[in-house]
PDB file of all heavy atoms in Angstrom:
ATOM      1  N   ALA A   1       0.831  -1.205   0.000  1.00 97.00           N
ATOM      2  CA  ALA A   1       0.000   0.000   0.000  1.00 97.00           C
ATOM      3  C   ALA A   1       0.872   1.265   0.000  1.00 97.00           C
ATOM      4  O   ALA A   1       0.584   2.226  -0.715  1.00 97.00           O
ATOM      5  CB  ALA A   1      -0.940  -0.003   1.195  1.00 97.00           C
ATOM      6  N   THR A   2       1.926   1.247   0.776  1.00 97.00           N
ATOM      7  CA  THR A   2       2.849   2.387   0.822  1.00 97.00           C
ATOM      8  C   THR A   2       3.522   2.582  -0.533  1.00 97.00           C
ATOM      9  O   THR A   2       3.622   3.708  -1.045  1.00 97.00           O
ATOM     10  CB  THR A   2       3.914   2.175   1.912  1.00 97.00           C
ATOM     11  OG1 THR A   2       3.252   2.029   3.170  1.00 97.00           O
ATOM     12  CG2 THR A   2       4.885   3.327   1.983  1.00 97.00           C
ATOM     13  N   GLN A   3       3.979   1.487  -1.129  1.00 98.00           N
ATOM     14  CA  GLN A   3       4.615   1.575  -2.441  1.00 98.00           C
ATOM     15  C   GLN A   3       3.630   2.059  -3.501  1.00 98.00           C
ATOM     16  O   GLN A   3       3.979   2.853  -4.371  1.00 98.00           O
ATOM     17  CB  GLN A   3       5.193   0.216  -2.845  1.00 98.00           C
ATOM     18  CG  GLN A   3       6.391  -0.196  -2.025  1.00 98.00           C
ATOM     19  CD  GLN A   3       6.833  -1.618  -2.308  1.00 98.00           C
ATOM     20  OE1 GLN A   3       6.061  -2.443  -2.800  1.00 98.00           O
ATOM     21  NE2 GLN A   3       8.080  -1.919  -1.975  1.00 98.00           N
ATOM     22  N   GLN A   4       2.411   1.591  -3.411  1.00 98.00           N
ATOM     23  CA  GLN A   4       1.383   1.989  -4.371  1.00 98.00           C
ATOM     24  C   GLN A   4       1.091   3.490  -4.269  1.00 98.00           C
ATOM     25  O   GLN A   4       0.952   4.181  -5.284  1.00 98.00           O
ATOM     26  CB  GLN A   4       0.112   1.173  -4.120  1.00 98.00           C
ATOM     27  CG  GLN A   4      -0.816   1.110  -5.284  1.00 98.00           C
ATOM     28  CD  GLN A   4      -1.914   0.075  -5.037  1.00 98.00           C
ATOM     29  OE1 GLN A   4      -2.255  -0.220  -3.891  1.00 98.00           O
ATOM     30  NE2 GLN A   4      -2.464  -0.457  -6.102  1.00 98.00           N
ATOM     31  N   GLN A   5       1.036   4.006  -3.066  1.00 97.00           N
ATOM     32  CA  GLN A   5       0.815   5.436  -2.874  1.00 97.00           C
ATOM     33  C   GLN A   5       1.983   6.239  -3.433  1.00 97.00           C
ATOM     34  O   GLN A   5       1.789   7.262  -4.090  1.00 97.00           O
ATOM     35  CB  GLN A   5       0.608   5.766  -1.391  1.00 97.00           C
ATOM     36  CG  GLN A   5       0.351   7.231  -1.129  1.00 97.00           C
ATOM     37  CD  GLN A   5      -0.868   7.767  -1.881  1.00 97.00           C
ATOM     38  OE1 GLN A   5      -1.916   7.141  -1.897  1.00 97.00           O
ATOM     39  NE2 GLN A   5      -0.722   8.916  -2.512  1.00 97.00           N
ATOM     40  N   ALA A   6       3.200   5.774  -3.175  1.00 97.00           N
ATOM     41  CA  ALA A   6       4.378   6.465  -3.709  1.00 97.00           C
ATOM     42  C   ALA A   6       4.363   6.434  -5.233  1.00 97.00           C
ATOM     43  O   ALA A   6       4.686   7.434  -5.889  1.00 97.00           O
ATOM     44  CB  ALA A   6       5.657   5.815  -3.169  1.00 97.00           C
ATOM     45  N   ASN A   7       3.988   5.318  -5.816  1.00 97.00           N
ATOM     46  CA  ASN A   7       3.913   5.207  -7.272  1.00 97.00           C
ATOM     47  C   ASN A   7       2.850   6.138  -7.848  1.00 97.00           C
ATOM     48  O   ASN A   7       3.064   6.773  -8.884  1.00 97.00           O
ATOM     49  CB  ASN A   7       3.628   3.762  -7.692  1.00 97.00           C
ATOM     50  CG  ASN A   7       4.803   2.836  -7.450  1.00 97.00           C
ATOM     51  OD1 ASN A   7       5.929   3.281  -7.264  1.00 97.00           O
ATOM     52  ND2 ASN A   7       4.544   1.545  -7.448  1.00 97.00           N
ATOM     53  N   THR A   8       1.718   6.227  -7.184  1.00 97.00           N
ATOM     54  CA  THR A   8       0.640   7.105  -7.639  1.00 97.00           C
ATOM     55  C   THR A   8       1.099   8.562  -7.625  1.00 97.00           C
ATOM     56  O   THR A   8       0.854   9.307  -8.576  1.00 97.00           O
ATOM     57  CB  THR A   8      -0.609   6.924  -6.751  1.00 97.00           C
ATOM     58  OG1 THR A   8      -1.037   5.562  -6.845  1.00 97.00           O
ATOM     59  CG2 THR A   8      -1.729   7.845  -7.177  1.00 97.00           C
ATOM     60  N   THR A   9       1.797   8.945  -6.572  1.00 97.00           N
ATOM     61  CA  THR A   9       2.325  10.308  -6.477  1.00 97.00           C
ATOM     62  C   THR A   9       3.359  10.562  -7.574  1.00 97.00           C
ATOM     63  O   THR A   9       3.343  11.611  -8.229  1.00 97.00           O
ATOM     64  CB  THR A   9       2.955  10.540  -5.095  1.00 97.00           C
ATOM     65  OG1 THR A   9       1.957  10.310  -4.092  1.00 97.00           O
ATOM     66  CG2 THR A   9       3.507  11.945  -4.949  1.00 97.00           C
ATOM     67  N   ALA A  10       4.240   9.596  -7.809  1.00 98.00           N
ATOM     68  CA  ALA A  10       5.268   9.745  -8.842  1.00 98.00           C
ATOM     69  C   ALA A  10       4.638   9.851 -10.224  1.00 98.00           C
ATOM     70  O   ALA A  10       5.059  10.667 -11.055  1.00 98.00           O
ATOM     71  CB  ALA A  10       6.240   8.575  -8.779  1.00 98.00           C
ATOM     72  N   ILE A  11       3.619   9.060 -10.489  1.00 98.00           N
ATOM     73  CA  ILE A  11       2.934   9.094 -11.784  1.00 98.00           C
ATOM     74  C   ILE A  11       2.253  10.450 -11.985  1.00 98.00           C
ATOM     75  O   ILE A  11       2.296  11.022 -13.074  1.00 98.00           O
ATOM     76  CB  ILE A  11       1.932   7.933 -11.919  1.00 98.00           C
ATOM     77  CG1 ILE A  11       2.697   6.620 -12.086  1.00 98.00           C
ATOM     78  CG2 ILE A  11       0.977   8.157 -13.079  1.00 98.00           C
ATOM     79  CD1 ILE A  11       1.832   5.387 -12.001  1.00 98.00           C
ATOM     80  N   ALA A  12       1.645  10.976 -10.944  1.00 97.00           N
ATOM     81  CA  ALA A  12       1.001  12.289 -11.047  1.00 97.00           C
ATOM     82  C   ALA A  12       2.035  13.368 -11.384  1.00 97.00           C
ATOM     83  O   ALA A  12       1.795  14.224 -12.244  1.00 97.00           O
ATOM     84  CB  ALA A  12       0.280  12.629  -9.741  1.00 97.00           C
ATOM     85  N   GLN A  13       3.198  13.317 -10.754  1.00 98.00           N
ATOM     86  CA  GLN A  13       4.255  14.294 -11.033  1.00 98.00           C
ATOM     87  C   GLN A  13       4.776  14.123 -12.456  1.00 98.00           C
ATOM     88  O   GLN A  13       4.981  15.099 -13.176  1.00 98.00           O
ATOM     89  CB  GLN A  13       5.400  14.152 -10.031  1.00 98.00           C
ATOM     90  CG  GLN A  13       6.505  15.174 -10.242  1.00 98.00           C
ATOM     91  CD  GLN A  13       6.018  16.605 -10.101  1.00 98.00           C
ATOM     92  OE1 GLN A  13       5.376  16.949  -9.125  1.00 98.00           O
ATOM     93  NE2 GLN A  13       6.326  17.441 -11.078  1.00 98.00           N
ATOM     94  N   LEU A  14       4.976  12.888 -12.878  1.00 97.00           N
ATOM     95  CA  LEU A  14       5.453  12.639 -14.243  1.00 97.00           C
ATOM     96  C   LEU A  14       4.441  13.115 -15.277  1.00 97.00           C
ATOM     97  O   LEU A  14       4.817  13.649 -16.323  1.00 97.00           O
ATOM     98  CB  LEU A  14       5.759  11.154 -14.434  1.00 97.00           C
ATOM     99  CG  LEU A  14       7.004  10.643 -13.705  1.00 97.00           C
ATOM    100  CD1 LEU A  14       7.076   9.122 -13.799  1.00 97.00           C
ATOM    101  CD2 LEU A  14       8.261  11.281 -14.257  1.00 97.00           C
ATOM    102  N   THR A  15       3.166  12.946 -14.989  1.00 98.00           N
ATOM    103  CA  THR A  15       2.127  13.416 -15.899  1.00 98.00           C
ATOM    104  C   THR A  15       2.189  14.933 -16.041  1.00 98.00           C
ATOM    105  O   THR A  15       2.085  15.474 -17.145  1.00 98.00           O
ATOM    106  CB  THR A  15       0.737  12.978 -15.393  1.00 98.00           C
ATOM    107  OG1 THR A  15       0.711  11.547 -15.322  1.00 98.00           O
ATOM    108  CG2 THR A  15      -0.370  13.463 -16.301  1.00 98.00           C
ATOM    109  N   GLN A  16       2.380  15.629 -14.934  1.00 98.00           N
ATOM    110  CA  GLN A  16       2.526  17.087 -14.984  1.00 98.00           C
ATOM    111  C   GLN A  16       3.752  17.478 -15.795  1.00 98.00           C
ATOM    112  O   GLN A  16       3.711  18.405 -16.607  1.00 98.00           O
ATOM    113  CB  GLN A  16       2.638  17.670 -13.577  1.00 98.00           C
ATOM    114  CG  GLN A  16       1.346  17.655 -12.807  1.00 98.00           C
ATOM    115  CD  GLN A  16       1.519  18.222 -11.401  1.00 98.00           C
ATOM    116  OE1 GLN A  16       2.630  18.401 -10.916  1.00 98.00           O
ATOM    117  NE2 GLN A  16       0.402  18.501 -10.743  1.00 98.00           N
ATOM    118  N   ASP A  17       4.853  16.762 -15.579  1.00 97.00           N
ATOM    119  CA  ASP A  17       6.092  17.053 -16.317  1.00 97.00           C
ATOM    120  C   ASP A  17       5.905  16.841 -17.816  1.00 97.00           C
ATOM    121  O   ASP A  17       6.349  17.650 -18.629  1.00 97.00           O
ATOM    122  CB  ASP A  17       7.243  16.187 -15.805  1.00 97.00           C
ATOM    123  CG  ASP A  17       7.656  16.522 -14.378  1.00 97.00           C
ATOM    124  OD1 ASP A  17       7.233  17.579 -13.860  1.00 97.00           O
ATOM    125  OD2 ASP A  17       8.395  15.712 -13.783  1.00 97.00           O
ATOM    126  N   VAL A  18       5.238  15.758 -18.181  1.00 98.00           N
ATOM    127  CA  VAL A  18       4.995  15.460 -19.595  1.00 98.00           C
ATOM    128  C   VAL A  18       4.121  16.549 -20.216  1.00 98.00           C
ATOM    129  O   VAL A  18       4.391  17.018 -21.331  1.00 98.00           O
ATOM    130  CB  VAL A  18       4.362  14.062 -19.770  1.00 98.00           C
ATOM    131  CG1 VAL A  18       3.804  13.878 -21.176  1.00 98.00           C
ATOM    132  CG2 VAL A  18       5.377  12.979 -19.450  1.00 98.00           C
ATOM    133  N   ASN A  19       3.092  16.970 -19.510  1.00 97.00           N
ATOM    134  CA  ASN A  19       2.224  18.026 -20.032  1.00 97.00           C
ATOM    135  C   ASN A  19       2.997  19.333 -20.214  1.00 97.00           C
ATOM    136  O   ASN A  19       2.807  20.042 -21.210  1.00 97.00           O
ATOM    137  CB  ASN A  19       1.017  18.243 -19.121  1.00 97.00           C
ATOM    138  CG  ASN A  19       0.018  17.116 -19.240  1.00 97.00           C
ATOM    139  OD1 ASN A  19      -0.058  16.439 -20.268  1.00 97.00           O
ATOM    140  ND2 ASN A  19      -0.747  16.895 -18.195  1.00 97.00           N
ATOM    141  N   TYR A  20       3.859  19.655 -19.270  1.00 97.00           N
ATOM    142  CA  TYR A  20       4.678  20.860 -19.369  1.00 97.00           C
ATOM    143  C   TYR A  20       5.598  20.773 -20.587  1.00 97.00           C
ATOM    144  O   TYR A  20       5.703  21.720 -21.371  1.00 97.00           O
ATOM    145  CB  TYR A  20       5.481  21.035 -18.075  1.00 97.00           C
ATOM    146  CG  TYR A  20       6.438  22.193 -18.092  1.00 97.00           C
ATOM    147  CD1 TYR A  20       5.978  23.503 -18.043  1.00 97.00           C
ATOM    148  CD2 TYR A  20       7.810  21.974 -18.160  1.00 97.00           C
ATOM    149  CE1 TYR A  20       6.852  24.578 -18.062  1.00 97.00           C
ATOM    150  CE2 TYR A  20       8.696  23.046 -18.175  1.00 97.00           C
ATOM    151  CZ  TYR A  20       8.213  24.335 -18.128  1.00 97.00           C
ATOM    152  OH  TYR A  20       9.088  25.391 -18.150  1.00 97.00           O
ATOM    153  N   LEU A  21       6.264  19.641 -20.750  1.00 97.00           N
ATOM    154  CA  LEU A  21       7.163  19.463 -21.888  1.00 97.00           C
ATOM    155  C   LEU A  21       6.405  19.477 -23.211  1.00 97.00           C
ATOM    156  O   LEU A  21       6.903  19.988 -24.215  1.00 97.00           O
ATOM    157  CB  LEU A  21       7.952  18.156 -21.734  1.00 97.00           C
ATOM    158  CG  LEU A  21       8.960  18.143 -20.592  1.00 97.00           C
ATOM    159  CD1 LEU A  21       9.549  16.749 -20.421  1.00 97.00           C
ATOM    160  CD2 LEU A  21      10.059  19.164 -20.813  1.00 97.00           C
ATOM    161  N   ARG A  22       5.198  18.953 -23.206  1.00 97.00           N
ATOM    162  CA  ARG A  22       4.358  18.973 -24.409  1.00 97.00           C
ATOM    163  C   ARG A  22       4.041  20.409 -24.804  1.00 97.00           C
ATOM    164  O   ARG A  22       4.130  20.779 -25.973  1.00 97.00           O
ATOM    165  CB  ARG A  22       3.065  18.192 -24.154  1.00 97.00           C
ATOM    166  CG  ARG A  22       2.157  18.087 -25.340  1.00 97.00           C
ATOM    167  CD  ARG A  22       0.879  17.301 -24.959  1.00 97.00           C
ATOM    168  NE  ARG A  22      -0.251  17.859 -25.626  1.00 97.00           N
ATOM    169  CZ  ARG A  22      -0.972  18.903 -25.246  1.00 97.00           C
ATOM    170  NH1 ARG A  22      -0.701  19.529 -24.134  1.00 97.00           N
ATOM    171  NH2 ARG A  22      -1.989  19.339 -25.954  1.00 97.00           N
ATOM    172  N   GLU A  23       3.698  21.231 -23.830  1.00 97.00           N
ATOM    173  CA  GLU A  23       3.400  22.634 -24.104  1.00 97.00           C
ATOM    174  C   GLU A  23       4.624  23.362 -24.656  1.00 97.00           C
ATOM    175  O   GLU A  23       4.520  24.144 -25.598  1.00 97.00           O
ATOM    176  CB  GLU A  23       2.900  23.342 -22.837  1.00 97.00           C
ATOM    177  CG  GLU A  23       1.510  22.922 -22.411  1.00 97.00           C
ATOM    178  CD  GLU A  23       0.453  23.267 -23.444  1.00 97.00           C
ATOM    179  OE1 GLU A  23       0.512  24.364 -24.033  1.00 97.00           O
ATOM    180  OE2 GLU A  23      -0.424  22.428 -23.681  1.00 97.00           O
ATOM    181  N   ILE A  24       5.784  23.103 -24.070  1.00 97.00           N
ATOM    182  CA  ILE A  24       7.017  23.717 -24.558  1.00 97.00           C
ATOM    183  C   ILE A  24       7.291  23.279 -25.993  1.00 97.00           C
ATOM    184  O   ILE A  24       7.651  24.097 -26.852  1.00 97.00           O
ATOM    185  CB  ILE A  24       8.209  23.348 -23.642  1.00 97.00           C
ATOM    186  CG1 ILE A  24       8.082  24.051 -22.304  1.00 97.00           C
ATOM    187  CG2 ILE A  24       9.540  23.693 -24.309  1.00 97.00           C
ATOM    188  CD1 ILE A  24       9.101  23.609 -21.284  1.00 97.00           C
ATOM    189  N   THR A  25       7.120  22.000 -26.264  1.00 96.00           N
ATOM    190  CA  THR A  25       7.365  21.472 -27.605  1.00 96.00           C
ATOM    191  C   THR A  25       6.424  22.103 -28.616  1.00 96.00           C
ATOM    192  O   THR A  25       6.854  22.516 -29.706  1.00 96.00           O
ATOM    193  CB  THR A  25       7.205  19.938 -27.613  1.00 96.00           C
ATOM    194  OG1 THR A  25       8.141  19.385 -26.677  1.00 96.00           O
ATOM    195  CG2 THR A  25       7.458  19.362 -28.986  1.00 96.00           C
ATOM    196  N   LEU A  26       5.149  22.200 -28.285  1.00 96.00           N
ATOM    197  CA  LEU A  26       4.187  22.812 -29.202  1.00 96.00           C
ATOM    198  C   LEU A  26       4.525  24.273 -29.450  1.00 96.00           C
ATOM    199  O   LEU A  26       4.429  24.767 -30.580  1.00 96.00           O
ATOM    200  CB  LEU A  26       2.771  22.669 -28.655  1.00 96.00           C
ATOM    201  CG  LEU A  26       2.206  21.249 -28.646  1.00 96.00           C
ATOM    202  CD1 LEU A  26       0.845  21.222 -27.959  1.00 96.00           C
ATOM    203  CD2 LEU A  26       2.112  20.697 -30.053  1.00 96.00           C
ATOM    204  N   HIS A  27       4.928  24.980 -28.399  1.00 96.00           N
ATOM    205  CA  HIS A  27       5.321  26.378 -28.553  1.00 96.00           C
ATOM    206  C   HIS A  27       6.528  26.493 -29.486  1.00 96.00           C
ATOM    207  O   HIS A  27       6.568  27.355 -30.369  1.00 96.00           O
ATOM    208  CB  HIS A  27       5.639  26.997 -27.196  1.00 96.00           C
ATOM    209  CG  HIS A  27       6.181  28.383 -27.292  1.00 96.00           C
ATOM    210  ND1 HIS A  27       5.388  29.471 -27.583  1.00 96.00           N
ATOM    211  CD2 HIS A  27       7.447  28.854 -27.166  1.00 96.00           C
ATOM    212  CE1 HIS A  27       6.138  30.551 -27.631  1.00 96.00           C
ATOM    213  NE2 HIS A  27       7.388  30.203 -27.377  1.00 96.00           N
ATOM    214  N   ASN A  28       7.512  25.624 -29.292  1.00 95.00           N
ATOM    215  CA  ASN A  28       8.711  25.663 -30.126  1.00 95.00           C
ATOM    216  C   ASN A  28       8.404  25.322 -31.578  1.00 95.00           C
ATOM    217  O   ASN A  28       8.986  25.918 -32.487  1.00 95.00           O
ATOM    218  CB  ASN A  28       9.787  24.728 -29.575  1.00 95.00           C
ATOM    219  CG  ASN A  28      10.451  25.289 -28.338  1.00 95.00           C
ATOM    220  OD1 ASN A  28      10.459  26.498 -28.132  1.00 95.00           O
ATOM    221  ND2 ASN A  28      11.003  24.430 -27.519  1.00 95.00           N
ATOM    222  N   ILE A  29       7.496  24.386 -31.801  1.00 95.00           N
ATOM    223  CA  ILE A  29       7.097  24.050 -33.167  1.00 95.00           C
ATOM    224  C   ILE A  29       6.442  25.262 -33.820  1.00 95.00           C
ATOM    225  O   ILE A  29       6.746  25.606 -34.969  1.00 95.00           O
ATOM    226  CB  ILE A  29       6.150  22.831 -33.175  1.00 95.00           C
ATOM    227  CG1 ILE A  29       6.926  21.566 -32.817  1.00 95.00           C
ATOM    228  CG2 ILE A  29       5.452  22.679 -34.525  1.00 95.00           C
ATOM    229  CD1 ILE A  29       6.056  20.362 -32.545  1.00 95.00           C
ATOM    230  N   GLU A  30       5.552  25.907 -33.095  1.00 94.00           N
ATOM    231  CA  GLU A  30       4.880  27.094 -33.623  1.00 94.00           C
ATOM    232  C   GLU A  30       5.889  28.208 -33.905  1.00 94.00           C
ATOM    233  O   GLU A  30       5.847  28.855 -34.957  1.00 94.00           O
ATOM    234  CB  GLU A  30       3.824  27.579 -32.633  1.00 94.00           C
ATOM    235  CG  GLU A  30       3.055  28.783 -33.098  1.00 94.00           C
ATOM    236  CD  GLU A  30       2.022  29.232 -32.071  1.00 94.00           C
ATOM    237  OE1 GLU A  30       1.513  28.386 -31.317  1.00 94.00           O
ATOM    238  OE2 GLU A  30       1.741  30.438 -32.038  1.00 94.00           O
ATOM    239  N   PHE A  31       6.806  28.427 -32.982  1.00 93.00           N
ATOM    240  CA  PHE A  31       7.824  29.461 -33.139  1.00 93.00           C
ATOM    241  C   PHE A  31       8.715  29.164 -34.344  1.00 93.00           C
ATOM    242  O   PHE A  31       9.026  30.055 -35.142  1.00 93.00           O
ATOM    243  CB  PHE A  31       8.655  29.556 -31.853  1.00 93.00           C
ATOM    244  CG  PHE A  31       9.642  30.675 -31.843  1.00 93.00           C
ATOM    245  CD1 PHE A  31       9.213  31.988 -31.787  1.00 93.00           C
ATOM    246  CD2 PHE A  31      11.002  30.415 -31.872  1.00 93.00           C
ATOM    247  CE1 PHE A  31      10.117  33.038 -31.772  1.00 93.00           C
ATOM    248  CE2 PHE A  31      11.915  31.459 -31.861  1.00 93.00           C
ATOM    249  CZ  PHE A  31      11.477  32.765 -31.819  1.00 93.00           C
TER     250      PHE A  31
END
């Protein structure tokens, strides 16, 4: 249960990071 909670938190952070990088990539493509 502890490991699962840590994994869920890590996945949420990675999802935010991916979305941020996606936005940067789209901006750079447009630029």
Side-chain angles (χ1 to χ4, degrees):
T2 301
Q3 290 172 338
Q4 201 169 26
Q5 181 58 46
N7 290 343
T8 300
T9 302
I11 288 170
Q13 182 60 51
L14 289 171
T15 300
Q16 287 179 347
D17 293 347
V18 166
N19 287 334
Y20 176 71
L21 292 173
R22 183 181 143 277
E23 289 297 319
I24 289 172
T25 301
L26 291 175
H27 174 75
N28 285 336
I29 289 169
E30 181 180 331
F31 186 69

